[in-house]
Amino acid sequence: MLEYSSKYFAEERNQSLHEVGVERPRSDVQGHVTGRTQFYADRNFPGLLHLKMVRSPHHHARIKSIDVSKALKVPGVVRVLTAADIPSNIYTILCLIQVEPNDEPVLAFDKVRYKGEQIVAVLADSQRAAREGAARVKVVYEPLPAVFDVEEALKPGAPLVNEYHGRNWFTYEGHHCRRVRHGDVEKAFAAADHVIEEKYQSSPIEHAPTETTGCIVVPDSNDRFTCYSNTQALYFTLDNSALILKSPFHKLRLVGGTVGGGFGGKVDVIVEPIAFLAAMLARRPVKYEFSREEEMQVSSPRAAERIYIKDGVMNDGRIIARKVRLYVDAGAYSRHSPYGTTKAAAHMPGPYTIPNVWVDSHCVYTNRTPSSAMRGFGVTIGDFALEVQMDKLARLIGMDPMEFRILNAYRDGDLKAHGKETTGAALVECIQAAAQLADWPIGERYKAMSSQRKGA
Amino acid sequence: MAKQRGRGMASVNYPTGMNLGGDPSQALIHATTTGSFVVTLSSVDLGQGLKTIMAQICAETLGIPTDNVIVDTADTDTGPHCMGTFASRGTHRIGNAIIMAAKEARAVLLEVAAEELEVNAADLETDGKGNIQIKGSPGKSISVLETALAAHFKHGRTISGRGIFLQPRSYPEPETGRMTPATCYAHACTVAEVEVDTETGEVAVLSLKSAYEVGRALNPRMVEQQIVGGAWMGISHALYETTEPYYPDRAHGPVDFNEYLMPGPGDLPKFENVVIERPAPDGPYGAKGVGEMTANSPIPAIANAIYDAVGVRIDSLPITPEKVLRALKAQAA
């Protein structure tokens, strides 16, 4: 049930619209419900090869040797790919926006840094032969000590996860974390009526798409290669693939646009570069699709986060200081986490005007599946921590939680902790509307407040 | 041992788009001979309805019916650049690019119509039904179809337009974190009502009542789909999902949907939603990104409702029956 509340911001709305503001069915809905939508995997190509990956059984180990000879003897196996076949093996997705360093091998060669990391790709005429070939690849490992906890990883002497960083954290312009500094929190804590510090934690979360990540690359007749993919970002995929393959950009083509669930899980560039290379070397169409197990345990999840929030609050309800220490568990490689960690820092202290804010937001490397983008990237877990904290603060000083939030909510013109002026605020009105919807009593004074500072 | 009810609330905002690397998207628009308009993109519709929204925005700007707009997307050989579909950016960034392209195409459309009608283009308007008429006198008009035919075969003109929206890169100041991390912000507030079984630790979400401020709901039905789908994901994050149930221990990771739990249809609460619109000056017809945000406010609202019901705080996600029972046990001790 959806209803409109037109009593807020009526003067700011242009009412003379015809085609927008109108309900129309989604263009793909009929195809989806009748099972006629064509996904990438519905395409069939003669001579299609299947790609299966040999993956690390260890969280952290040195690779002593790789022997593919038995895999090549499996009937139906056409060839294998190892790190030596990749023209530019070490990459990072966000190199496209100048994030450094390149820190992740397409195929591991000297070390594996998480359980499930890809090492050898096996190409075969059938899925079964590809799986059997992958099972016959012999990799000899020397297990290394692993680190799984973000705060343990930051301690001196912790096992080094990623040599390309040389330390277990991403470096932000010389700092070990993304910082936000606004006012003086320590001075404000000294003046606060109450100071409380709480710890919040989340675990990794899977995007759980109906359709697992995958693609098919087809060699065209004119020495170009077309990749049918369910990526959320065609050019991210094309550009990264070309850099990894050292291929002229014009030789690659991405076709997509039908995705059986994204939620941020199909923003990483994992399956396409290796499938492009396989198709180039084998001169045959190649399909690389994640199994459900790979989708759940090997493809990037939402990062686990650990967040400490220390607040200074006054008996009259004003929050005067907020200090946040936030740790994003990036897993073994950067992928999109350096960006998400900055986004998490920028999101603090939530939609409230707090005059003193201090944030250290850390992107930490551990020996687990690399995390990456997911719906609400850098924000969802922060909101959990912030809003549970707000509930605790309201109860601490004996205020209604809605009134407490309305009092502290940002208004137009307020300065945010990251230095931007607030515009277009509407939190006060959302709280008022939700209170009315849920029959949650709030005082007249709070009903009269506005994001526009009328009657505040 | 009892089932105890409680309610909690949470309020959030959400940034539209990313701009820590520059955030552009492009659109090209051209008319066919018969007055259909093709929007060419490389953007990906994830199933959230991007193509439908883009057709509506194009039609609104051109002043023609949405049915006459064809969206051709997701091929890098034909579509101009798009960063991708993520960060609640699609409607805002691509929508703005389409408005720019459609304005250029509309100007040509009206110029050709003006020549055909032998009037000044500035005196023309579209009727939204496929015709171009002289302002105030609907009697003197020409159809978009006739205009497109004339452009192609008589005037040798292309009715087309190019659009781009670029949110320039923001470089955070290293010492203070001063930056421009997003453009506009959407808002939400959710009240959750839960029932906690103190014998099993299970939490049932009874209702989610929410208000969402979305700038402008360009397609209200699809806004509602995002709201309900997102709230479902919020419930799932709050109570069910993780790939590492004993994080930071890596053991016991689920590998399929028998082990990776999510709420089924029987676990859905009653939803009530109110939409508020405060148009964003930089958004296409005022729209803000609403997609991601809808999962966020239910999570803490549910956590706070659990505390309200049974007096224990579970500060780690997901809030599984095991965690609830252990907390209740510790509380009793």
Side-chain angles (χ1 to χ4, degrees):
Chain A
M1 190 179 88
L2 188 73
E3 86 181 66
Y4 276 85
S5 180
S6 52
K7 71 174 178 180
Y8 303 106
F9 309 115
E11 75 286 359
E12 296 183 24
R13 276 196 299 279
N14 169 10
Q15 300 299 348
S16 61
L17 300 173
H18 306 285
E19 300 299 322
V20 304
V22 177
E23 299 203 337
R24 293 181 70 88
R26 266 164 37 198
S27 59
D28 57 8
V29 76
Q30 224 170 24
H32 283 7
V33 299
T34 57
R36 286 166 188 240
T37 300
Q38 263 226 333
F39 293 88
Y40 90 87
D42 292 322
R43 294 173 191 268
N44 290 307
F45 298 95
L48 181 72
L49 292 174
H50 298 268
L51 189 156
K52 286 288 167 191
M53 204 50 85
V54 176
R55 299 187 178 280
S56 166
H58 297 285
H59 300 295
H60 195 192
R62 202 163 299 290
I63 296 174
K64 306 293 285 183
S65 63
I66 299 172
D67 179 2
V68 300
S69 56
K70 283 186 178 152
L72 291 170
K73 287 181 186 141
V74 172
V77 169
V78 171
R79 70 168 293 160
V80 300
L81 304 175
T82 63
D85 295 304
I86 315 285
S88 183
N89 193 36
I90 312 298
Y91 80 118
T92 194
I93 294 162
L94 289 180
C95 71
L96 300 179
I97 58 168
Q98 295 85 46
V99 171
E100 295 176 322
N102 288 333
D103 73 340
E104 178 167 6
V106 176
L107 293 176
F109 57 100
D110 56 346
K111 249 180 88 167
V112 285
R113 298 177 177 85
Y114 68 96
K115 188 179 169 185
E117 182 161 6
Q118 50 189 25
I119 305 166
V120 179
V122 178
L123 298 173
D125 290 323
S126 67
Q127 286 198 46
R128 181 183 175 151
R131 264 197 297 271
E132 191 162 333
R136 303 256 176 116
V137 171
K138 174 90 179 148
V139 183
V140 177
Y141 302 92
E142 177 195 330
L144 297 169
V147 61
F148 299 110
D149 183 275
V150 284
E151 289 181 273
E152 292 298 320
L154 294 182
K155 286 180 182 164
L160 180 62
V161 175
N162 189 316
E163 288 74 8
Y164 299 99
H165 293 276
R167 43 182 81 92
N168 287 339
W169 60 88
F170 184 81
T171 303
Y172 291 91
E173 296 99 26
H175 290 294
H176 67 287
C177 59
R178 174 59 72 201
R179 296 154 54 113
V180 176
R181 298 290 185 269
H182 176 61
D184 184 342
V185 285
E186 298 305 332
K187 204 169 146 190
F189 287 142
D193 290 330
H194 308 272
V195 176
I196 67 166
E197 181 171 18
E198 297 284 303
K199 175 187 176 184
Y200 302 92
Q201 177 73 53
S202 72
S203 301
I205 297 174
E206 157 66 6
H207 308 80
T210 310
E211 175 202 38
T212 63
T213 303
C215 69
I216 298 173
V217 176
V218 182
D220 295 336
S221 50
N222 55 0
D223 198 33
R224 295 182 74 223
F225 296 84
T226 299
C227 177
Y228 300 94
S229 164
N230 55 18
T231 178
Q232 292 177 231
L234 295 173
Y235 275 97
F236 248 83
T237 304
L238 190 156
D239 294 349
N240 266 302
S241 297
L243 293 174
I244 288 165
L245 301 170
K246 291 188 177 170
S247 160
F249 293 90
H250 71 264
K251 281 193 184 294
L252 309 185
R253 175 186 176 205
L254 260 290
V255 176
T258 309
V259 182
F263 309 109
K266 289 165 181 160
V267 178
D268 287 356
V269 182
I270 306 297
V271 293
E272 291 90 352
I274 194 84
F276 265 123
L277 181 66
M280 286 173 175
L281 295 177
R283 313 303 296 183
R284 284 169 65 176
V286 174
K287 180 181 191 178
Y288 180 12
E289 71 175 334
F290 280 173
S291 66
R292 183 58 63 186
E293 179 170 356
E294 287 173 317
E295 188 71 38
M296 285 200 172
Q297 289 293 326
V298 176
S299 88
S300 302
R302 181 195 294 287
E305 292 181 33
R306 182 171 301 162
I307 305 174
Y308 295 89
I309 305 178
K310 184 177 180 183
D311 286 334
V313 63
M314 306 304 285
N315 284 325
D316 65 9
R318 287 175 299 126
I319 306 168
I320 60 167
R322 175 161 284 173
K323 184 173 184 177
V324 179
R325 282 185 294 134
L326 190 152
Y327 303 89
V328 171
D329 190 337
Y333 299 108
S334 286
R335 301 209 179 158
H336 290 87
S337 291
Y339 162 69
T341 305
T342 293
K343 194 171 173 185
H347 189 62
M348 295 296 163
Y352 306 104
T353 296
I354 300 176
N356 302 288
V357 176
W358 183 105
V359 183
D360 269 3
S361 187
H362 307 77
C363 174
V364 187
Y365 300 105
T366 64
N367 291 111
R368 63 165 35 80
T369 303
S371 62
S372 200
M374 186 172 180
R375 179 183 208 155
F377 193 29
V379 173
T380 299
I381 305 304
D383 278 344
F384 164 69
L386 286 169
E387 288 301 299
V388 173
Q389 180 84 357
M390 290 297 283
D391 203 60
K392 292 176 183 174
L393 292 178
R395 287 176 186 268
L396 176 72
I397 59 166
M399 258 185 98
D400 176 85
M402 289 225 185
E403 294 177 354
F404 178 63
R405 285 173 176 81
I406 291 173
L407 183 74
N408 287 288
Y410 64 4
R411 267 63 165 183
D412 288 356
D414 287 355
L415 191 64
K416 296 184 185 182
H418 59 251
K420 293 297 289 184
E421 188 184 298
T422 303
T423 56
L427 193 77
V428 169
E429 290 74 11
C430 274
I431 299 170
Q432 290 164 341
Q436 189 181 351
L437 187 68
D439 288 321
W440 186 305
I442 56 173
E444 290 303 320
R445 176 173 167 237
Y446 294 95
K447 282 184 194 168
M449 287 181 175
S450 164
S451 293
Q452 296 162 292
R453 287 202 178 282
K454 295 180 302 192
Chain B
M1 296 298 161
K3 290 187 174 180
Q4 294 186 23
R5 289 189 176 193
R7 69 177 183 171
M9 56 84 53
S11 57
V12 303
N13 69 343
Y14 201 85
T16 293
M18 58 167 273
N19 65 336
L20 300 166
D23 192 12
S25 278
Q26 294 188 39
L28 297 174
I29 293 176
H30 77 271
T32 67
T33 51
T34 49
S36 300
F37 280 81
V38 182
V39 180
T40 310
L41 309 167
S42 68
S43 311
V44 174
D45 188 337
L46 301 176
Q48 83 280 40
L50 181 143
K51 288 205 283 192
T52 307
I53 289 291
M54 296 313 150
Q56 287 181 267
I57 291 173
C58 177
E60 183 71 49
T61 311
L62 286 170
I64 64 169
T66 300
D67 287 339
N68 292 4
V69 177
I70 297 154
V71 177
D72 172 23
T73 191
D75 183 339
T76 56
D77 271 9
T78 57
H81 176 261
C82 173
M83 280 301 270
T85 311
F86 48 75
S88 299
R89 66 183 296 286
T91 295
H92 189 278
R93 307 298 196 248
I94 307 159
N96 274 325
I98 286 176
I99 289 175
M100 180 178 170
K103 280 181 175 168
E104 186 180 342
R106 179 183 161 92
V108 182
L109 178 72
L110 294 185
E111 280 168 26
V112 174
E115 284 202 40
E116 287 292 298
L117 293 170
E118 297 180 330
V119 295
N120 200 324
D123 296 330
L124 293 176
E125 64 183 10
T126 44
D127 73 350
K129 295 171 188 144
N131 301 297
I132 300 156
Q133 63 194 28
I134 294 174
K135 283 178 189 166
S137 55
K140 195 168 184 192
S141 73
I142 181 172
S143 71
V144 171
L145 190 156
E146 288 171 298
T147 309
L149 281 171
H152 279 85
F153 296 107
K154 202 163 139 191
H155 304 278
R157 297 201 61 183
T158 140
I159 302 176
S160 61
R162 304 153 295 170
I164 184 166
F165 182 83
L166 169 64
Q167 178 64 25
R169 180 170 190 162
S170 164
Y171 291 88
E173 205 279 308
E175 303 304 320
T176 62
R178 293 196 184 282
M179 59 180 129
T180 306
T183 45
C184 48
Y185 289 77
H187 302 88
C189 179
T190 293
V191 177
E193 190 186 6
V194 304
E195 187 172 77
V196 182
D197 187 327
T198 60
E199 193 169 356
T200 64
E202 282 175 300
V203 177
V205 182
L206 303 177
S207 70
L208 289 176
K209 295 173 183 171
S210 304
Y212 294 91
E213 188 279 311
V214 303
R216 191 90 209 212
L218 300 184
N219 184 324
R221 192 188 297 188
M222 296 205 302
V223 169
E224 184 177 18
Q225 288 167 2
Q226 288 283 12
I227 286 172
V228 175
W232 174 88
M233 191 179 254
I235 296 167
S236 198
H237 280 21
L239 302 175
Y240 295 80
E241 292 187 61
T242 180
T243 53
E244 298 184 41
Y246 295 95
Y247 178 90
D249 190 330
R250 285 288 278 118
H252 302 289
V255 297
D256 60 31
F257 287 117
N258 294 317
E259 297 174 345
Y260 189 83
L261 299 184
M262 298 189 290
D267 302 310
L268 284 181
K270 183 178 156 199
F271 293 104
E272 286 183 45
N273 301 298
V274 173
V275 165
I276 296 170
E277 296 176 312
R278 185 174 196 193
D282 66 358
Y285 298 104
K288 301 172 176 177
V290 64
E292 295 176 274
M293 170 185 76
T294 51
N296 292 353
S297 52
I299 303 171
I302 290 167
N304 292 334
I306 292 169
Y307 177 79
D308 189 54
V310 292
V312 297
R313 287 282 180 195
I314 314 293
D315 290 337
S316 72
L317 293 176
I319 303 173
T320 57
E322 178 178 346
K323 288 183 191 170
V324 173
L325 277 184
R326 287 185 192 283
L328 286 171
K329 205 171 161 186
Q331 181 196 42

